[in-house]
Amino acid sequence: MNVLELSEQEIVRRQSLQELRDMGIDPYPAAEYPTNAYSTDIKEGFSDDAPQQEVCIAGRLMSRRVMGKASFAELQDSKGRVQVYVTRDDICPDDNKDLYNKVFKRLLDIGDFIGVKGFVFRTQTGEISVHAKSLTLLSKSLKPLPIVKYKDGVAYDKFDDPELRYRRRYVDLVVNDGIKDTFLKRATVLKTLRNSLDEAGYTEVETPILQSIPGGATARPFITHFNALNVEMYMRIATELYLKRLIVGGFEGVYEIGKNFRNEGMDRTHNPEFTCMELYVQYKDYNWMMAFTEQLLEKICIAVNGKPESVVDGQTISFKAPYRRLPILDAIKEKTGYDLNGMTEDEIREVCKKLNMEIDDTMGKGKLIDEIFGEFCEGTFIQPTFIIDYPVEMSPLTKMHRSKPGLTERFELMVNGKELANAYSELNDPIDQEERFVEQMKLADKGDDEAMIIDQDFLRALQYGMPPTSGIGIGIDRLVMLMTGQTSIQEVLFFPQMRPEKKIPKSSVAEWKAIGVSEEWVPVFNKCGYNLVTDIKGVNSQKLQQDVCGVNKKYKLGYDNPKVEQFAQWIEAAGSQE
C-alpha cells in the first residue's frame, strides 16, 4: 500500500509494528493463548474473603492511563470489559524493562489484542481489577478505532453514522454498547424457534437455493447463469414448493430456516436477502397453525425478554396468546367503509379510484385488494392480529375456504403494522393448483413481473398425492426486530445490503501525464486534495509547489522537488483541459 493512502495514525502504527519486529516480538503470534476467565465472570465471582484467584484473560486494549512505573488499562473481551493494573517491575522482573517502557507505554495502541496473566483484586477505589504479572501482544491493530467514551451511562463521541456502522459492523460491535446484545438475542430467537420445532417432532431440512423456477411466492427473483448447464437459474424467493414435495414424500412435518432472495427495494423493513422459517405439517389446517404460532411466539418472547411483552418504538406489544382473528375484507370495510365482498375486478378498480390510489392495468383483482389493504389497513394493526380468509385471487397456493365461496383458508399475522407471518391450509388438489398457476400466467402476460411461473414438477408431485397440510412462513429478521425493539431491519442484520460506496472521482495517471506530471507525483497531488487534473486550474503556482513539495518532505518520499516554473506549466496545461 502506498504510504500516501494512509492516515498519520496508520503510519505511526505501522512504524510501531516494525519496531516490535525489530525487538524480536511477533505482533501476530500463532500459538494458543490459554484463557481461563471472562471479564464478566471475574467481576461477578470476586469475593474479598476468597483465596486469591489466578486468571489468564485476553482481549482488546480499549484505554490506557500511564502513571510512571504503574498504569491502568481497560481490556475488552467477548463478554465485556475489565480493568487491568500493570506495573513495570511485575511484567519486567529482570533488568530489561523494555516490555513496559517501550512496548506497553509506546508501541501498544488502542485496539491491539493483548493477553494478561495475573490475579484478581479490588483497587482502593473499589473497582475489581486484574493485577498483571505477565503481558503478551496477541495481535497488532493497524487502523485506529473510533473512541466512544461513556460517563454516567451517557455515550460521547459516538460512532453513530448508520452508513459507517452498517458497512463497518466489525467496528460497530467493538465500540458501541448494546449492539452485540441485539445479535445475541437474535441467536436466542433462532435457538428457541429451532428447539420448539424439534420438540414438536418436526424435521429440519435443506432445499436448493439455486432453482430453475422461482416458486412459492409472488416476487421478482434474482437471475444468474449456470455455466456448466448453460441455463438461467434463479435465487429462491421461497422454500415452499420443495418443502411440500417432502410432505408428499412422507415426512410428518418439515421446516427450514434459511435465506430467501427477492429482487426488490430496500427500506427500514425490507432487505433483498432475508431469513425466513417455513414449516409444513401434515393433517393440520390454518386454524391449528394459528394456535401453534401464537404459542410459539409467546415462548420466544419470554426466552428473549423474560416476559411475553416487547417494547418497540415506545409501544408495548403483547405476544401473549390468543390473538385477534379478523377476515381481510372485514378489515378493509372497517378501515375504508367499502365492502368488497362479491365485487368484480372492475368494481374494485373503481373503488381504488375513489380512494385516490395509484393503480395500473397490470394489476388483477388480488393485487388490487392487496394494495387497498396495504395502504389503509396494514399499518394500523399494532398488537398481533391474524388477518384471515383471503380472496382466492390473492392466494394461488391456498385451499379454498370450506364454507366461504371465493375465499381461501389463509392468514397473515400483522404485528406493529407489518406482516410477520403468512400461512395456509395448503392446496393439495393438483387440478385446482394447475388452474391457479394458469391464472397467474395470465397476470404475467399482462405485465405483472411478480406473478408465479408454472412449476410442472411440483404439479407432478401433487398428482402422487399430498395429505391435508398446513404451512407457514415467518420472517426471522422482522421477528428479531419485534423481540429486540428495533425499528430498522439493518439493526438486526450483521451485514445488510448497502449501495456501493461513493468514491472520490480521480483523474487517471494517463490524464495527469497528458499535462506533464510524472506518475510518481500523481499520488502526491491526490494527497494534497487535487484529485482531478482540473482541480489545479487557477491555483497559485507557489501555493501548489508549497502543498506538493510539503507532502514530499513530510512523508520522506525522496523525490526531487520541481521548480515553481514547472508547476506554472502544469497549471497552464490543466487550464486548457475541457
Side-chain angles (χ1 to χ4, degrees):
M1 176 177 286
N2 191 312
V3 68
L4 296 179
E5 297 177 21
L6 303 174
S7 68
E8 290 189 29
Q9 286 194 56
E10 289 175 300
I11 292 172
V12 170
R13 288 179 179 235
R14 287 172 187 249
Q15 291 170 346
S16 297
L17 177 75
Q18 187 57 51
E19 193 168 342
L20 286 164
R21 284 179 166 146
D22 292 343
M23 293 174 66
I25 297 174
D26 184 354
Y28 305 104
E32 174 191 7
Y33 193 79
T35 59
N36 62 10
Y38 294 102
S39 56
T40 49
D41 302 331
I42 289 171
K43 293 178 179 179
E44 292 169 2
F46 178 78
S47 172
D48 293 301
D49 301 326
Q52 189 178 89
Q53 180 188 1
E54 300 288 333
V55 295
C56 179
I57 60 175
R60 284 188 188 270
L61 180 65
M62 297 304 290
S63 69
R64 176 178 48 192
R65 288 176 287 133
V66 177
M67 299 174 292
K69 297 178 182 179
S71 301
F72 284 98
E74 189 176 37
L75 185 145
Q76 177 174 296
D77 62 17
S78 62
K79 293 191 176 182
R81 297 187 181 188
V82 65
Q83 181 172 268
V84 177
Y85 177 61
V86 183
T87 68
R88 185 191 67 182
D89 294 336
D90 279 328
I91 67 170
C92 305
D94 54 19
D95 292 338
N96 187 340
K97 307 298 181 184
D98 285 351
L99 181 60
Y100 183 81
N101 292 335
K102 286 188 177 181
V103 177
F104 179 77
K105 291 173 66 175
R106 188 167 60 81
L107 301 181
L108 290 187
D109 292 293
I110 303 304
D112 289 353
F113 282 89
I114 61 172
V116 172
K117 294 179 181 178
F119 61 88
V120 184
F121 76 111
R122 189 188 298 275
T123 66
Q124 291 181 353
T125 59
E127 185 166 355
I128 299 169
S129 307
V130 175
H131 188 129
K133 302 298 288 184
S134 71
L135 184 147
T136 305
L137 174 61
L138 300 177
S139 181
K140 183 72 181 154
S141 171
L142 298 184
K143 282 187 175 291
L145 289 169
I147 303 301
V148 181
K149 300 174 183 176
Y150 293 92
K151 185 176 181 180
D152 300 326
V154 179
Y156 298 90
D157 300 323
K158 288 184 178 180
F159 179 66
D160 57 3
D161 183 326
E163 179 84 5
L164 286 177
R165 287 184 52 238
Y166 302 151
R167 287 192 192 282
R168 304 179 190 178
R169 181 69 82 186
Y170 37 86
V171 176
D172 187 31
L173 289 164
V174 172
V175 303
N176 285 329
D177 284 353
I179 303 301
K180 184 180 289 185
D181 290 341
T182 296
F183 292 98
L184 291 174
K185 289 179 178 179
R186 181 183 178 111
T188 299
V189 168
L190 289 167
K191 180 171 63 176
T192 307
L193 174 63
R194 183 173 273 111
N195 288 344
S196 298
L197 297 176
D198 289 344
E199 289 168 4
Y202 308 135
T203 304
E204 183 173 9
V205 298
E206 293 177 296
T207 61
I209 291 176
L210 280 178
Q211 301 182 354
S212 57
I213 293 176
T218 53
R220 185 183 299 114
F222 285 95
I223 305 173
T224 187
H225 187 77
F226 194 155
N227 290 338
L229 298 178
N230 194 28
V231 295
E232 296 298 299
M233 299 289 284
Y234 303 88
M235 303 289 282
R236 72 180 177 201
I237 58 176
T239 55
E240 177 169 347
L241 300 188
Y242 280 94
L243 293 175
K244 286 181 179 177
R245 286 170 168 90
L246 298 180
I247 295 295
V248 170
F251 280 88
E252 176 190 357
V254 291
Y255 73 92
E256 182 169 7
I257 301 172
K259 295 286 189 181
N260 291 340
F261 307 84
R262 297 184 182 178
N263 198 354
E264 298 167 349
M266 299 183 295
D267 57 32
R268 292 177 66 83
T269 58
H270 293 86
N271 195 66
E273 175 186 353
F274 63 97
T275 304
C276 186
M277 187 285 297
E278 289 198 44
L279 165 71
Y280 295 84
V281 186
Q282 63 181 7
Y283 309 126
K284 309 296 184 186
D285 64 6
Y286 80 141
N287 293 310
W288 176 89
M289 189 61 81
M290 278 187 271
F292 182 83
T293 300
E294 58 195 8
Q295 295 293 335
L296 177 64
L297 295 183
E298 181 178 349
K299 184 177 182 180
I300 291 172
C301 191
I302 292 172
V304 173
N305 297 308
K307 56 185 179 180
E309 292 86 34
S310 180
V311 178
V312 182
D313 207 16
Q315 298 186 100
T316 298
I317 297 175
S318 174
F319 286 93
K320 188 170 181 60
Y323 307 156
R324 183 188 182 193
R325 290 154 169 74
L326 178 66
I328 186 172
L329 297 183
D330 290 358
I332 290 174
K333 183 178 179 181
E334 184 180 288
K335 301 299 180 181
T336 69
Y338 288 97
D339 186 354
L340 305 186
N341 271 297
M343 282 192 180
T344 64
E345 178 179 323
D346 290 338
E347 290 171 331
I348 295 174
R349 195 175 295 277
E350 287 302 313
V351 170
C352 290
K353 292 177 181 178
K354 292 176 183 178
L355 292 171
N356 297 316
M357 294 177 59
E358 292 185 9
I359 58 174
D360 57 57
D361 293 339
T362 68
M363 296 180 178
K365 184 176 179 180
K367 189 86 168 180
L368 294 171
I369 295 172
D370 193 32
E371 290 292 314
I372 296 172
F373 180 80
E375 185 162 338
F376 295 97
C377 308
E378 183 173 321
T380 67
F381 297 107
I382 304 303
Q383 298 302 320
T385 304
F386 289 117
I387 303 299
I388 64 174
D389 300 347
Y390 282 67
V392 64
E393 293 84 359
M394 299 178 69
S395 312
L397 297 169
T398 312
K399 185 170 288 189
M400 295 297 293
H401 199 285
R402 67 197 74 178
S403 61
K404 299 178 181 178
L407 302 181
T408 60
E409 295 195 350
R410 173 187 176 188
F411 73 77
E412 287 187 313
L413 176 59
M414 300 293 165
V415 188
N416 199 37
K418 292 292 179 182
E419 173 199 343
L420 175 61
N422 188 18
Y424 317 143
S425 293
E426 300 295 339
L427 179 59
N428 59 344
D429 179 341
I431 296 174
D432 189 1
Q433 180 64 85
E434 184 171 12
E435 292 172 352
R436 305 266 195 102
F437 275 148
V438 169
E439 289 301 312
Q440 284 286 302
M441 293 306 294
K442 290 180 181 178
L443 292 176
D445 292 339
K446 289 174 64 176
D448 187 346
D449 57 3
E450 293 185 352
M452 288 189 187
I453 301 172
I454 296 179
D455 187 333
Q456 295 293 348
D457 181 70
F458 174 66
L459 289 175
R460 179 167 53 200
L462 285 186
Q463 290 170 23
Y464 282 100
M466 185 176 85
T469 299
S470 183
I472 187 170
I474 297 177
I476 299 301
D477 306 319
R478 288 190 183 176
L479 177 59
V480 174
M481 288 172 64
L482 291 167
M483 295 300 171
T484 60
Q486 300 294 338
T487 56
S488 170
I489 195 170
Q490 287 81 11
E491 293 292 346
V492 301
L493 300 174
F494 272 127
F495 304 105
Q497 189 65 44
M498 304 288 289
R499 290 179 174 82
E501 285 190 74
K502 293 181 180 178
K503 294 186 177 180
I504 298 173
K506 293 184 178 181
S507 294
S508 66
V509 171
E511 289 173 303
W512 282 102
K513 283 185 175 180
I515 68 166
V517 178
S518 62
E519 183 174 349
E520 65 183 7
W521 282 101
V522 173
V524 185
F525 276 84
N526 294 160
K527 187 69 174 180
C528 295
Y530 304 112
N531 294 304
L532 300 173
V533 168
T534 52
D535 289 343
I536 67 172
K537 279 185 181 181
V539 177
N540 180 278
S541 57
Q542 290 182 331
K543 180 185 183 304
L544 185 59
Q545 182 194 41
Q546 185 178 16
D547 290 344
V548 173
C549 295
V551 169
N552 183 30
K553 179 181 179 181
K554 179 178 179 179
Y555 290 93
K556 301 176 181 178
L557 301 177
Y559 302 157
D560 292 332
N561 289 326
K563 303 291 185 182
V564 69
E565 292 80 12
Q566 180 65 73
F567 284 97
Q569 292 175 14
W570 290 337
I571 292 170
E572 183 179 356
S576 65
Q577 301 289 311
E578 294 183 359

